[in-house]
Amino acid sequence: MRALVTGAAGGMGRAIVAELEAQGHEVVGADLQGAALSFDQRDRDAAGAAVEEAAVRLGGLDAVIANAGVVDTIHRADRFPPLAWAKDLETNLTGAFNVVQAAYEHLRASASAAIVFVSSASAELGLPGQAAYTASKAGLVGLARTLAAEWGPQGIRVNVVMPGLIGTPKVRALPPALLDAMSKAIPLGRIGEPEDVARTIAFLAGPGAAYINGQVLRIDGGLGLSTASLATGGEG
């Protein structure tokens, strides 16, 4: 498999690239800086040029992992600055579309093509303080399902992963007490690791998921499930 991974310089992106390479796939990573290709995916022309360069380096494209995004814009919704709102939507949603649209012809030429969008569990659960982020990540779901229906006949599968609380460097930098409290809110009792997400993405992009199209998969340890119990003790 020949894959382009955006957001490759971040904690999640590095894990995705490492996992795909460990499985023997050819990968080109892209980011604003710190990756093999550097470009701003909000710029449609730059996205197109980067995709073409990746295709040349790899001799074609079989997969695009749309992982790049702005994750740390925080404002209360009643006073969310218009420019900050626009940046999140343009980067996380429009930018992702710019990349996959540019990759369409290459993917259509592949014998087994796949796109995986990296959304967020917050798109379904909400995340106070990050209205633009959650809106953009929810938008990826509608985009993915539309592309899955439209591009499926061309042999291009399109799916979405929704990571929950994942131990990227930014998350690990949070106060230990806060991380502990957040972990206890997850049924599996721990925050996820970037590798948990990377392995799932590798599966969705690979032959084991050849008949999976237009689906959304949460990678969150059960975050949001009700943990209240009617049982009062004992067994049965």
Side-chain angles (χ1 to χ4, degrees), residues 16 52 57 67 80 100 110 113-114 127 132 150 152 154 162 181 233:
I16 295 167
E52 290 304 314
R57 293 189 185 192
N67 170 65
F80 211 103
V100 300
S110 169
L127 190 61
E150 187 175 328
Q154 282 74 54
M162 284 186 168

Side-chain angles (χ1 to χ4, degrees), residues 6-7 31-32 40-43 65-74 80 84-100 116-120 122-123 127 130-144 160 170:
T6 65
D31 214 311
L32 278 173
D40 186 339
Q41 65 182 21
R42 293 176 298 173
D43 184 330
I65 313 303
N67 170 65
V70 177
V71 300
D72 50 8
T73 305
I74 301 175
F80 211 103
W85 172 273
K87 181 179 180 182
D88 276 18
L89 270 291
E90 289 169 6
T91 302
N92 298 352
L93 182 56
T94 304
F97 179 65
N98 287 341
V99 171
V100 300
V116 181
F117 287 105
V118 179
S119 177
S120 168
S122 67
L127 190 61
Q130 291 196 287
Y133 175 77
T134 54
S136 64
K137 291 299 187 178
L140 287 175
V141 176
L143 172 61
V160 182
K170 287 184 178 181

Side-chain angles (χ1 to χ4, degrees), residues 51-209:
V51 168
E52 290 304 314
E53 184 173 346
V56 168
R57 293 189 185 192
L58 296 170
L61 278 177
D62 303 306
V64 174
I65 313 303
N67 170 65
V70 177
V71 300
D72 50 8
T73 305
I74 301 175
H75 301 283
R76 300 301 299 183
D78 62 306
R79 48 187 180 272
F80 211 103
L83 289 179
W85 172 273
K87 181 179 180 182
D88 276 18
L89 270 291
E90 289 169 6
T91 302
N92 298 352
L93 182 56
T94 304
F97 179 65
N98 287 341
V99 171
V100 300
Q101 185 185 50
Y104 170 74
E105 293 295 342
H106 296 291
L107 294 172
R108 190 173 69 161
S110 169
S112 180
I115 295 169
V116 181
F117 287 105
V118 179
S119 177
S120 168
S122 67
E124 293 184 341
L125 299 175
L127 190 61
Q130 291 196 287
Y133 175 77
T134 54
S136 64
K137 291 299 187 178
L140 287 175
V141 176
L143 172 61
R145 286 181 167 151
T146 300
L147 296 183
E150 187 175 328
W151 293 357
Q154 282 74 54
I156 304 171
R157 297 182 299 104
V158 187
N159 293 291
V160 182
V161 294
M162 284 186 168
L165 185 63
I166 304 298
T168 61
K170 287 184 178 181
V171 170
R172 292 292 185 191
L174 294 173
L178 178 59
L179 279 178
D180 183 61
M182 296 170 80
S183 297
K184 289 177 179 177
I186 299 170
L188 286 185
R190 68 172 179 88
I191 64 175
E193 298 297 338
E195 291 75 18
D196 294 322
V197 179
R199 285 190 287 267
T200 305
I201 289 173
F203 164 71
L204 286 174

